[in-house]
Amino acid sequence: MLAVTGLLREAVTRAASWNREELTAPQERLAGVILDEIRALPQANLGLPMPQDVRLLRIARALSDRPDDDRRLEAWAAWAGMAPRTLTRRFSAETGFSFSEWRQRVRLLRALELLAAGQPVTTIALDLGYDNVSAFIALFRRVFGTTPGRYKV
């Protein structure tokens, strides 16, 4: 998956209307720009590493099933039968993400699924447990470089 720039988006939109049998010289130049832009883009790393520890895996699966679950870290630690500091330290060591970063990533991945299914941004934000739509949009923009409304277009 790539985080698309405005230039690339517009160039691809224009190219989508071309006759595919024969390109004109300007079209070939624009096609070259499209390829250059794609090569220059950083890939969006959307992987979601799962922890190995059985207790942490239980938490991760519960959050994957219900990303809107807004229990605090302390409540999750108690639910899994471990100390909050242990959860924090082990979660980071096993996934490469802090607990809150991992939870945000689960929510963002689910948001991508819901956007692809045509759900409205407001519904997605509220269904994923965000208190307000603005917070969801700000996080989405920070991670993907665009708003969810523009992303789904």
Side-chain angles (χ1 to χ4, degrees), residues 62-63 66-76 99 103 107 126-131:
L63 279 171
R66 294 270 328 268
D68 63 319
D69 191 324
D70 62 353
R71 279 183 268 182
R72 300 180 66 89
L73 182 132
E74 295 78 14
W76 282 110
F99 179 74
R103 180 194 304 225
R107 288 177 173 178
L126 298 176
D127 286 353
L128 292 179
Y130 289 91
D131 292 332

Side-chain angles (χ1 to χ4, degrees), residues 51-56 82 84-97:
Q52 299 299 307
D53 181 287
V54 175
R55 298 167 298 176
L56 297 179
M82 60 194 319
R85 281 189 62 190
T86 302
L87 186 154
T88 299
R89 192 172 15 87
R90 301 277 314 261
F91 213 94
S92 180
E94 292 192 23
T95 66
F97 293 100

Side-chain angles (χ1 to χ4, degrees), residues 17-32:
S17 68
W18 294 345
N19 178 353
R20 289 186 172 82
E21 292 181 24
E22 190 174 322
L23 297 180
T24 65
Q27 289 173 333
E28 287 181 9
R29 287 192 299 275
L30 186 56

Side-chain angles (χ1 to χ4, degrees), residues 31-148:
V33 169
I34 291 170
L35 292 175
D36 289 342
E37 284 292 303
I38 290 172
R39 285 185 201 106
L41 289 175
Q43 287 192 346
N45 182 1
L46 297 178
L48 189 65
M50 297 296 275
Q52 299 299 307
D53 181 287
V54 175
R55 298 167 298 176
L56 297 179
L57 186 58
R58 183 174 172 223
I59 293 170
R61 286 185 176 148
L63 279 171
S64 294
D65 291 342
R66 294 270 328 268
D68 63 319
D69 191 324
D70 62 353
R71 279 183 268 182
R72 300 180 66 89
L73 182 132
E74 295 78 14
W76 282 110
W79 183 73
M82 60 194 319
R85 281 189 62 190
T86 302
L87 186 154
T88 299
R89 192 172 15 87
R90 301 277 314 261
F91 213 94
S92 180
E94 292 192 23
T95 66
F97 293 100
S98 71
F99 179 74
S100 64
E101 290 169 337
W102 195 92
R103 180 194 304 225
Q104 284 178 345
R105 185 162 283 223
V106 165
R107 288 177 173 178
L108 288 172
L109 291 174
R110 182 65 53 86
L112 292 177
E113 292 173 15
L114 296 172
L115 283 169
Q119 293 288 320
V121 173
T122 301
T123 302
I124 293 169
L126 298 176
D127 286 353
L128 292 179
Y130 289 91
D131 292 332
N132 64 65
V133 179
S134 298
F136 168 67
I137 291 171
L139 175 64
F140 195 97
R141 183 183 320 208
R142 190 170 69 242
V143 172
F144 296 114
T146 189
T147 64

